[in-house]
Amino acid sequence: MSNPKKPHITVMRSQLSRARGLGSGQAGVGHWWAERASAVALVPLSGWFVIQVFRLAGASQPEVAKWGARPLNTTMMLSLVILTFYHTQLGLQVIIDDYVHGKAHLPAGLLMKGIVFLLGLFGTVSVLKLALAGSSRGRIAAG
Amino acid sequence: MVEFRLPKNSTVGKGRIFTATPGATNVKNFRIYRWSPDDDKNPVVDTYEIDLDKIGPMVLDALIHIKNDVDSTLTFRRSCREGICGSCAMNIAGENTLACLKPIRDIEGDIAIYPLPHMPVIKDLVPDLDGAYAQLRSIDPWLKSDTAPPPDAERRQSIEERAELDGMWECILCFCCSTSCPSYWWNGDRYLGPATLLAAYRWIADSRDEHAGDRLDALEDPLKLYACRTIMNCTQTCPKGLNPAKAIGRIKELQLERKA
Ligand code: SF4
Ligand code: SF4
Ligand code: FES
């Protein structure tokens, strides 16, 4: 007869076996480095962006459209948008690793990455729209 | 796993009060966590009014006085009483430290004493460190060398090579650092924690060791190593003044260095 007062032990695996676990995942340095490298790249990009916002303050819609159609500005804006959302995704993954465990871990990461991807894509399309709309209008005017 | 609230059977109740002997003039209150596995009761905090004129200067002196003269049921670990064995590690006035090195006069007001945070409690101030010791064992904390030592002498190191180990050989494995680390609280089943990672780097950095690559391979893991978020609690709390966060940073640098 089992003793109802005696707790049933479900884990008898040794502490060393638990500590070693499944061994090393052979991953981590890539994520760690990408997080830092993207953060460093975002410093000058964000500085540039803030300066542009001040320069364009009070500008008319056609002036902003013209600004957005310049290849240099498009390049900088795309770098900023893509790196911002790439970095966001890396950082949020760290938070999920810390706070979400077990079965919810994988779906939480996928959901987060999906949302960040869509937001980043929306930003990218917006920058491109400004860039391409501006240039096509320019062509019509020229023709 | 993150726990923002204590489990029901861990909420701490009010305990007994042991009043000071009449006539004592230099009295300080020690509020000490008590829990016993022998009954089904929740933990409580007992208050001991202690006459500081009767005891030595350190928190451990007060604990020994309580056990000898006031309440022999109080359970704690200690051995060397000079900061070298690591067994009296506990949370004193909100900080993980060694009771034998913590002067009572450094603490204003009542002194709250708890076991090291977020570890299973065996009794009163004694935490279960089996998991932490197994993690230390898992990184093979010993010299691994395939070259035979000279037949008639020890393995030699230059003065510079030996200096690489400063700030690490002094670690007494008290686990004050690991149990102060939020990453270790939330993910201690996989994150190795600062004490074990400091020990790992101690062997990676040892010029006589020939297995740095294997050691780095074994640490290259999103949680075992990279769950360290550079919060620095470990370095702030170490009662020996060591810097485990720096050692962890060095391991991460080496992981990067060998990729290029
Ligand atoms: S590094 Fe400091 S706090 Fe951590 S185990 Fe070693 S001596 Fe204790
Ligand atoms: S630096 Fe790393 S090991 Fe130290 S407390 Fe912070 S997360 Fe923990
Ligand atoms: S009793 Fe040995 S470190 Fe405190």
Side-chain angles (χ1 to χ4, degrees):
Chain A
M1 278 296 284
S2 67
N3 177 354
K5 282 211 90 175
K6 204 173 154 207
H8 174 64
I9 296 170
T10 55
V11 180
M12 293 196 182
R13 186 185 286 277
S14 77
Q15 290 284 2
L16 185 59
S17 169
R18 285 185 247 181
R20 285 184 175 152
L22 300 177
S24 146
Q26 294 303 312
V29 66
H31 184 283
W32 179 80
W33 179 240
E35 218 183 330
R36 271 140 197 88
S38 55
V40 168
L42 279 169
V43 173
L45 284 172
S46 308
W48 170 85
F49 182 68
V50 170
I51 293 170
Q52 298 307 313
V53 168
F54 274 106
R55 284 186 52 198
L56 288 171
S60 64
Q61 198 274 339
E63 280 169 337
V64 177
K66 210 175 137 203
W67 174 90
R70 265 188 218 124
L72 178 68
N73 293 338
T74 306
T75 308
M76 294 292 276
M77 278 306 291
L78 283 181
S79 309
L80 178 69
V81 168
I82 294 169
L83 275 174
T84 299
F85 284 94
Y86 176 62
H87 183 80
T88 302
Q89 166 266 127
L90 290 171
L92 289 177
Q93 186 63 47
V94 163
I95 296 174
I96 289 177
D97 290 348
D98 277 356
Y99 294 107
V100 186
H101 294 94
K103 285 209 161 59
H105 181 256
L106 196 66
L110 280 176
L111 182 68
M112 178 277 292
K113 285 200 168 84
I115 292 171
V116 175
F117 176 80
L118 285 176
L119 290 173
L121 197 58
F122 185 77
T124 308
V125 168
S126 305
V127 173
L128 285 177
K129 183 163 184 263
L130 203 57
L132 300 175
S135 63
S136 64
R137 200 181 301 139
R139 224 177 297 132
I140 291 161
Chain B
M1 189 67 176
V2 193
E3 286 154 0
F4 293 108
R5 216 171 290 167
L6 284 170
K8 245 204 173 108
N9 58 356
S10 293
T11 41
V12 184
K14 269 209 179 97
R16 293 166 298 170
I17 297 176
F18 295 80
T19 46
T21 38
T25 51
N26 191 7
V27 172
K28 195 144 179 109
N29 291 345
F30 288 78
R31 299 196 294 106
I32 303 181
Y33 176 95
R34 306 296 311 273
W35 180 78
S36 164
D38 300 329
D39 50 44
D40 281 337
K41 293 192 189 124
N42 272 28
V44 295
V45 169
D46 283 348
T47 304
Y48 299 88
E49 300 177 3
I50 301 299
D51 182 357
L52 296 186
D53 290 338
K54 286 226 186 86
I55 62 172
M58 301 300 179
V59 170
L60 184 64
D61 294 316
L63 293 176
I64 291 173
H65 165 68
I66 292 169
K67 185 153 184 82
N68 287 347
D69 305 320
V70 183
D71 176 6
S72 63
T73 65
L74 180 66
T75 304
F76 55 92
R77 286 193 186 113
R78 59 104 184 89
S79 176
C80 70
R81 58 105 187 93
E82 56 186 14
I84 211 65
C85 71
S87 47
C88 68
M90 53 188 75
N91 186 283
I92 300 170
E95 197 185 7
N96 293 352
T97 192
L98 299 171
C100 64
L101 292 189
K102 187 75 186 171
I104 295 170
R105 64 162 190 280
D106 281 8
I107 304 162
E108 271 178 50
D110 293 359
I111 301 184
I113 307 180
Y114 286 76
L116 289 176
H118 220 277
M119 302 303 268
V121 175
I122 293 174
K123 191 179 183 193
D124 295 346
L125 301 176
V126 179
D128 183 352
L129 294 175
D130 281 1
Y133 293 143
Q135 286 175 317
L136 176 69
R137 164 71 180 77
S138 78
I139 58 111
D140 296 356
W142 51 78
L143 185 82
K144 292 207 258 184
S145 176
D146 301 325
T147 303
D152 50 358
E154 65 276 23
R155 295 175 197 274
R156 300 194 65 196
Q157 247 178 341
S158 74
I159 289 170
E160 291 77 10
E161 286 166 339
R162 168 59 189 76
E164 289 287 315
L165 307 182
D166 285 339
M168 295 189 286
W169 64 266
E170 300 95 325
C171 172
I172 58 171
L173 292 168
C174 62
F175 292 96
C176 281
C177 53
S178 293
T179 56
S180 77
C181 169
S183 281
Y184 195 68
W185 297 341
W186 308 152
N187 283 307
D189 53 339
R190 289 185 60 188
Y191 177 44
L192 292 175
T196 290
L197 289 172
L198 180 95
Y201 183 60
R202 184 246 171 276
W203 291 106
I204 290 167
D206 194 317
S207 62
R208 299 163 300 176
D209 193 271
E210 294 168 354
H211 285 256
D214 304 339
R215 294 180 188 279
L216 289 173
D217 282 347
L219 295 176
E220 171 59 0
D221 184 270
L223 284 166
K224 277 178 193 287
L225 170 63
Y226 291 96
C228 167
R229 312 295 186 210
T230 324
I231 303 161
M232 303 284 284
N233 277 10
C234 52
T235 299
Q236 194 182 332
T237 208
C238 174
K240 302 295 281 184
L242 308 182
N243 191 344
K246 189 172 151 207
I248 297 170
R250 283 292 296 141
I251 300 175
K252 290 173 179 170
E253 281 168 32
L254 293 176
Q255 298 284 17
L256 190 63
E257 193 179 313
R258 68 185 191 144
K259 289 276 176 204

